[in-house]
Amino acid sequence: MNNVDLSLYLVTDNSDDEEKFLKTIEEAILGGVTVVQIREKTADTLDFYNLAVKVKEITTKYDVDLIINDRVDVALAIDADGVHVGQSDMPCDITRKLIGEDKILGVSAATIEEAKKAENDGADYIGTGAVFPTSTKDDAPSITKQDLIDIVKSINIPVVAIGGITLENASELKDTGIAGLSLVSAIMGADNPKKASEKLLNIFNS
């Protein structure tokens, strides 16, 4: 299994203002973000590739793992650290064959069955949620805190919680056994991404 520090896992939102987008990622890393996942659901392949190259320069500079959402081709093209796939993306076992054993592979799972299948198919970690209502992913299934605890207990690979996590509610996830918090808006939309990241990491580690 590939080891990855999932404590504070940043998932990016759309990159309309590229300069601000890249600055936000760098500030977040300076605040303690341990993993960055680029999620670009609507970008053309070339635009996604060019953006990923720029983000990789930042993550490499600070020795932070870079994960590409869904797009195995882009991940391989820029030699990212890993890929994250959902239940409607490339199957986990096929993704593992394509990226090899050394890359990190994350899978979204909202049930124990999905989580166990992902573990058996070669996933290194699970992203599960939405643990709170979220506006960044309309189709995200919602799960209860108990669901989250049950999923954590059912598998031997780490779990990150995602979906609507904020500075106000992050502490509610403390006793669930998760390996980290995964966030979009609470960092990407923050006035001060560095400070927001520091506070979130403190909440998770306290």
Side-chain angles (χ1 to χ4, degrees):
M1 195 183 101
N2 295 297
N3 285 326
V4 52
D5 182 354
L6 299 162
S7 305
L8 195 57
Y9 188 127
L10 173 64
V11 179
T12 65
D13 57 7
N14 59 1
S15 54
D16 296 336
D17 180 342
E18 189 179 279
E19 191 180 339
K20 185 179 181 230
F21 178 84
L22 296 171
K23 189 171 185 292
T24 299
I25 291 170
E26 184 160 22
E27 287 286 309
I29 290 171
L30 290 169
V33 159
T34 56
V35 184
V36 175
Q37 180 195 128
I38 311 177
R39 186 164 74 193
E40 288 283 323
K41 288 294 185 188
T42 56
D44 295 334
T45 299
L46 182 60
D47 291 339
F48 196 160
Y49 167 79
N50 287 333
L51 183 70
V53 167
K54 290 172 185 171
V55 175
K56 190 177 181 222
E57 283 177 15
I58 298 168
T59 56
T60 301
K61 178 179 170 185
Y62 296 104
D63 197 23
V64 163
D65 286 316
L66 176 62
I67 308 286
I68 301 294
N69 180 269
D70 184 16
R71 295 292 299 271
V72 176
D73 55 341
V74 174
L76 292 173
I78 69 154
D79 193 25
D81 299 290
V83 179
H84 187 95
V85 293
Q87 292 297 316
S88 59
D89 297 328
M90 184 82 71
C92 176
D93 54 344
I94 305 298
T95 304
R96 173 55 79 198
K97 280 181 189 163
L98 290 169
I99 66 174
E101 291 301 321
D102 295 335
K103 299 272 187 208
I104 301 160
L105 177 54
V107 177
S108 298
T111 65
I112 288 172
E113 291 72 33
E114 288 175 356
K116 283 183 170 176
K117 183 174 187 340
E119 181 178 27
N120 290 336
D121 288 348
D124 291 306
Y125 72 89
I126 298 295
T128 195
V131 289
F132 301 108
T134 174
S135 59
T136 54
K137 211 162 182 283
D138 300 334
D139 59 345
S142 60
I143 63 166
T144 65
K145 185 175 174 179
Q146 189 57 52
D147 291 335
L148 180 61
I149 292 167
D150 292 344
I151 288 170
V152 169
K153 285 180 176 170
S154 73
I155 53 175
N156 296 307
I157 55 175
V159 175
V160 288
I162 189 167
I165 300 170
T166 63
L167 284 164
E168 290 71 40
N169 62 25
S171 60
E172 293 176 36
L173 301 171
K174 267 188 193 169
D175 53 352
T176 55
I178 55 171
L181 305 171
S182 183
L183 309 102
V184 186
S185 310
I187 294 176
M188 294 302 293
D191 293 334
N192 188 327
K194 181 172 183 280
K195 198 170 274 183
S197 300
E198 285 170 350
K199 285 180 179 173
L200 285 156
L201 195 57
N202 280 338
I203 290 168
F204 181 69
N205 288 330
S206 65

